[in-house]
Coordinates of all heavy atoms in Angstrom, one line a residue:
Chain A
E298 N 1.1 -11.3 5.6 CA 1.3 -12.0 6.8 C 1.5 -13.5 6.5 O 2.5 -14.1 7.0 CB 0.0 -11.9 7.7 CG 0.2 -12.7 9.0 CD -1.0 -12.6 9.9 OE1 -2.0 -11.9 9.6 OE2 -1.0 -13.2 11.0
K299 N 0.8 -14.0 5.6 CA 0.9 -15.4 5.2 C 2.2 -15.8 4.5 O 2.7 -16.8 4.7 CB -0.3 -15.9 4.3 CG -1.5 -16.1 5.2 CD -2.7 -16.6 4.3 CE -3.8 -17.1 5.2 NZ -5.1 -16.9 4.5
T300 N 2.7 -14.8 3.7 CA 3.9 -15.1 3.0 C 5.2 -14.7 3.8 O 6.3 -15.1 3.4 CB 3.9 -14.4 1.6 OG1 3.7 -13.0 1.8 CG2 2.9 -15.0 0.7
G301 N 5.0 -14.0 4.9 CA 6.1 -13.7 5.7 C 6.8 -12.4 5.5 O 8.0 -12.4 5.6
Y302 N 6.1 -11.4 5.2 CA 6.7 -10.0 5.2 C 6.8 -9.5 6.6 O 6.2 -10.1 7.6 CB 5.8 -9.1 4.4 CG 5.8 -9.2 2.9 CD1 5.3 -10.3 2.3 CD2 6.4 -8.1 2.2 CE1 5.4 -10.3 0.9 CE2 6.5 -8.2 0.8 CZ 6.0 -9.3 0.1 OH 6.0 -9.4 -1.2
L303 N 7.6 -8.5 6.8 CA 7.7 -7.9 8.1 C 6.8 -6.7 8.3 O 6.7 -5.8 7.4 CB 9.2 -7.4 8.3 CG 10.2 -8.5 8.4 CD1 11.6 -7.9 8.2 CD2 10.1 -9.2 9.7
P304 N 6.0 -6.7 9.4 CA 5.1 -5.6 9.6 C 5.8 -4.2 9.6 O 5.3 -3.3 9.0 CB 4.6 -5.9 11.0 CG 4.7 -7.3 11.2 CD 6.0 -7.7 10.4
S305 N 7.0 -4.2 10.1 CA 7.7 -2.9 10.1 C 8.0 -2.4 8.7 O 7.9 -1.2 8.4 CB 9.0 -3.0 10.9 OG 9.7 -4.1 10.4
A306 N 8.2 -3.3 7.8 CA 8.5 -2.9 6.4 C 7.2 -2.4 5.7 O 7.2 -1.4 5.0 CB 9.0 -4.1 5.6
I307 N 6.1 -3.0 6.0 CA 4.9 -2.6 5.4 C 4.4 -1.3 6.0 O 4.0 -0.4 5.3 CB 3.8 -3.7 5.7 CG1 4.1 -5.0 5.0 CG2 2.4 -3.2 5.4 CD1 3.2 -6.1 5.2
L308 N 4.6 -1.1 7.3 CA 4.3 0.2 7.9 C 5.1 1.3 7.4 O 4.6 2.4 7.1 CB 4.5 0.1 9.4 CG 3.3 -0.2 10.3 CD1 2.1 -0.8 9.6 CD2 3.6 -1.0 11.5
N309 N 6.4 1.0 7.2 CA 7.3 2.1 6.6 C 6.9 2.5 5.2 O 6.8 3.6 4.9 CB 8.7 1.5 6.6 CG 9.8 2.6 6.4 OD1 11.0 2.4 6.6 ND2 9.4 3.8 5.9
Y310 N 6.6 1.5 4.4 CA 6.2 1.7 3.1 C 4.9 2.5 3.0 O 4.7 3.5 2.3 CB 6.0 0.4 2.3 CG 5.4 0.7 0.9 CD1 6.0 1.4 -0.1 CD2 4.0 0.3 0.7 CE1 5.4 1.6 -1.3 CE2 3.4 0.6 -0.5 CZ 4.1 1.2 -1.5 OH 3.5 1.5 -2.7
L311 N 3.9 2.1 3.8 CA 2.6 2.7 3.8 C 2.6 4.1 4.3 O 1.9 5.0 3.8 CB 1.7 1.9 4.7 CG 0.5 1.0 4.1 CD1 0.8 0.7 2.7 CD2 0.2 -0.2 4.9
A312 N 3.5 4.4 5.3 CA 3.6 5.7 5.8 C 4.1 6.7 4.8 O 3.7 7.8 4.7 CB 4.6 5.7 7.0
L313 N 4.9 6.2 3.9 CA 5.5 7.0 2.8 C 4.6 7.1 1.6 O 4.9 7.8 0.7 CB 6.8 6.5 2.4 CG 8.1 7.1 2.9 CD1 7.8 8.0 4.1 CD2 9.2 6.1 3.2
L314 N 3.5 6.4 1.7 CA 2.5 6.6 0.6 C 1.6 7.8 0.9 O 0.5 7.6 1.4 CB 1.6 5.3 0.6 CG 1.8 4.3 -0.6 CD1 0.6 3.4 -0.7 CD2 1.9 5.0 -1.9
G315 N 2.1 8.9 0.6 CA 1.3 10.1 0.8 C 1.8 10.9 2.0 O 1.1 11.8 2.5
W316 N 2.9 10.6 2.5 CA 3.5 11.4 3.6 C 5.0 11.3 3.5 O 5.6 10.3 3.0 CB 3.1 10.9 5.0 CG 3.8 11.6 6.1 CD1 3.4 12.8 6.6 CD2 5.0 11.2 6.8 NE1 4.3 13.2 7.6 CE2 5.3 12.2 7.7 CE3 5.9 10.1 6.6 CZ2 6.4 12.2 8.5 CZ3 7.0 10.1 7.5 CH2 7.3 11.1 8.4
S317 N 5.7 12.4 3.9 CA 7.1 12.3 3.9 C 7.6 13.3 5.0 O 6.9 14.3 5.3 CB 7.7 12.7 2.6 OG 7.5 14.1 2.3
L318 N 8.8 13.0 5.5 CA 9.4 14.0 6.4 C 10.1 15.1 5.7 O 10.1 16.2 6.0 CB 10.4 13.2 7.3 CG 11.2 14.1 8.3 CD1 10.3 14.7 9.3 CD2 12.3 13.2 9.0
D319 N 10.8 14.6 4.6 CA 11.5 15.5 3.7 C 11.7 14.8 2.4 O 11.1 13.7 2.2 CB 12.9 15.9 4.3 CG 13.6 14.7 4.8 OD1 13.7 13.7 4.0 OD2 14.2 14.7 5.9
G320 N 12.6 15.2 1.6 CA 12.7 14.6 0.3 C 13.7 13.4 0.4 O 13.9 12.7 -0.6
E321 N 14.4 13.3 1.5 CA 15.5 12.3 1.6 C 15.2 11.1 2.4 O 15.3 10.0 2.0 CB 16.8 13.0 2.2 CG 17.1 14.4 1.6 CD 17.7 14.3 0.2 OE1 18.8 13.6 0.1 OE2 17.2 14.9 -0.7
T322 N 14.8 11.4 3.6 CA 14.6 10.3 4.6 C 13.5 9.3 4.2 O 12.4 9.7 4.0 CB 14.3 10.8 6.0 OG1 15.0 12.1 6.2 CG2 14.7 9.8 7.1
E323 N 13.9 8.1 4.1 CA 13.0 7.0 3.8 C 12.8 6.0 4.8 O 11.9 5.2 4.9 CB 13.4 6.3 2.5 CG 12.9 7.0 1.2 CD 12.8 5.9 0.1 OE1 13.5 4.9 0.2 OE2 11.9 6.2 -0.7
D324 N 13.9 5.9 5.6 CA 14.0 4.8 6.5 C 13.5 5.2 7.9 O 14.0 5.9 8.6 CB 15.5 4.6 6.6 CG 15.8 3.2 7.1 OD1 14.9 2.5 7.5 OD2 17.0 2.8 7.0
F325 N 12.3 4.6 8.2 CA 11.7 4.9 9.5 C 11.3 3.6 10.3 O 10.7 2.7 9.7 CB 10.4 5.7 9.3 CG 10.6 7.1 8.7 CD1 10.5 7.3 7.3 CD2 10.8 8.1 9.5 CE1 10.7 8.6 6.8 CE2 11.0 9.4 9.0 CZ 10.9 9.6 7.7
S326 N 11.7 3.6 11.5 CA 11.2 2.6 12.4 C 9.8 3.1 12.8 O 9.4 4.2 12.6 CB 12.1 2.4 13.6 OG 12.0 3.6 14.4
V327 N 9.0 2.2 13.4 CA 7.7 2.6 13.9 C 7.8 3.8 14.9 O 7.1 4.7 14.8 CB 7.0 1.4 14.5 CG1 5.7 1.9 15.1 CG2 6.7 0.3 13.4
D328 N 8.8 3.7 15.7 CA 9.0 4.8 16.7 C 9.3 6.1 16.0 O 8.9 7.2 16.4 CB 10.1 4.4 17.7 CG 9.6 3.4 18.7 OD1 8.4 3.2 18.8 OD2 10.5 2.7 19.3
D329 N 10.2 6.0 14.9 CA 10.5 7.2 14.2 C 9.2 7.8 13.6 O 9.0 9.0 13.6 CB 11.4 6.9 13.0 CG 12.8 6.5 13.4 OD1 13.2 6.9 14.6 OD2 13.5 5.7 12.7
L330 N 8.4 6.9 13.1 CA 7.2 7.4 12.4 C 6.3 8.1 13.5 O 5.8 9.2 13.2 CB 6.4 6.3 11.8 CG 7.0 5.6 10.6 CD1 6.2 4.4 10.2 CD2 7.0 6.6 9.4
I331 N 6.2 7.5 14.6 CA 5.4 8.2 15.7 C 5.9 9.5 16.0 O 5.2 10.5 16.2 CB 5.3 7.3 16.9 CG1 4.5 6.0 16.6 CG2 4.7 8.0 18.1 CD1 4.6 4.9 17.7
K332 N 7.2 9.6 16.0 CA 7.9 10.8 16.4 C 7.7 11.9 15.4 O 7.5 13.1 15.7 CB 9.4 10.5 16.6 CG 10.2 11.7 17.2 CD 11.6 11.2 17.6 CE 12.5 12.4 17.9 NZ 13.9 12.0 17.8
H333 N 7.8 11.5 14.1 CA 7.9 12.6 13.1 C 6.6 12.8 12.3 O 6.5 13.8 11.5 CB 9.0 12.2 12.1 CG 10.4 12.2 12.7 ND1 11.0 13.3 13.1 CD2 11.2 11.2 12.9 CE1 12.2 13.0 13.6 NE2 12.3 11.7 13.5
F334 N 5.7 11.9 12.4 CA 4.5 12.1 11.5 C 3.7 13.4 11.8 O 3.6 13.8 12.9 CB 3.5 10.9 11.8 CG 2.3 11.0 11.0 CD1 2.3 10.7 9.6 CD2 1.1 11.5 11.5 CE1 1.2 10.8 8.9 CE2 -0.1 11.6 10.8 CZ 0.0 11.2 9.4
T335 N 3.3 14.0 10.7 CA 2.5 15.2 10.8 C 1.4 15.2 9.7 O 1.8 14.8 8.6 CB 3.3 16.5 10.6 OG1 4.1 16.4 9.5 CG2 4.1 16.8 11.8
L336 N 0.3 15.6 10.0 CA -0.8 15.7 9.0 C -0.5 16.7 8.0 O -0.9 16.6 6.8 CB -2.1 16.0 9.7 CG -2.7 14.8 10.5 CD1 -3.9 15.3 11.3 CD2 -3.2 13.7 9.5
E337 N 0.2 17.8 8.4 CA 0.5 18.9 7.5 C 1.3 18.4 6.3 O 1.3 19.0 5.3 CB 1.3 20.0 8.3 CG 0.5 20.8 9.2 CD 0.0 20.0 10.5 OE1 0.7 19.0 10.8 OE2 -1.1 20.3 11.0
R338 N 2.1 17.4 6.5 CA 3.0 16.9 5.4 C 2.4 15.7 4.6 O 3.1 15.0 3.9 CB 4.4 16.6 5.9 CG 5.1 17.9 6.3 CD 6.6 17.6 6.5 NE 7.2 17.1 5.3 CZ 7.7 17.9 4.3 NH1 7.7 19.2 4.4 NH2 8.3 17.3 3.2
V339 N 1.1 15.6 4.8 CA 0.4 14.5 4.0 C 0.1 15.2 2.6 O -0.3 16.3 2.6 CB -0.9 14.1 4.7 CG1 -1.7 13.2 3.7 CG2 -0.6 13.3 6.0
T340 N 0.3 14.4 1.6 CA 0.1 14.9 0.2 C -1.4 15.0 -0.1 O -2.2 14.3 0.5 CB 0.8 14.1 -0.8 OG1 0.3 12.7 -0.7 CG2 2.3 14.1 -0.7

Side-chain angles (χ1 to χ4, degrees):
Chain A
E298 181 177 1
K299 281 184 171 150
T300 51
Y302 281 71
L303 291 165
S305 49
I307 293 177
L308 261 20
N309 194 164
Y310 171 70
L311 250 24
L313 258 18
L314 250 195
W316 174 83
S317 69
L318 176 65
D319 51 46
E321 314 283 303
T322 322
E323 269 211 334
D324 204 346
F325 292 93
S326 68
V327 173
D328 285 341
D329 291 336
L330 289 173
I331 292 172
K332 189 169 165 199
H333 296 294
F334 179 76
T335 49
L336 287 169
E337 286 70 25
R338 288 194 61 89
V339 170
T340 56

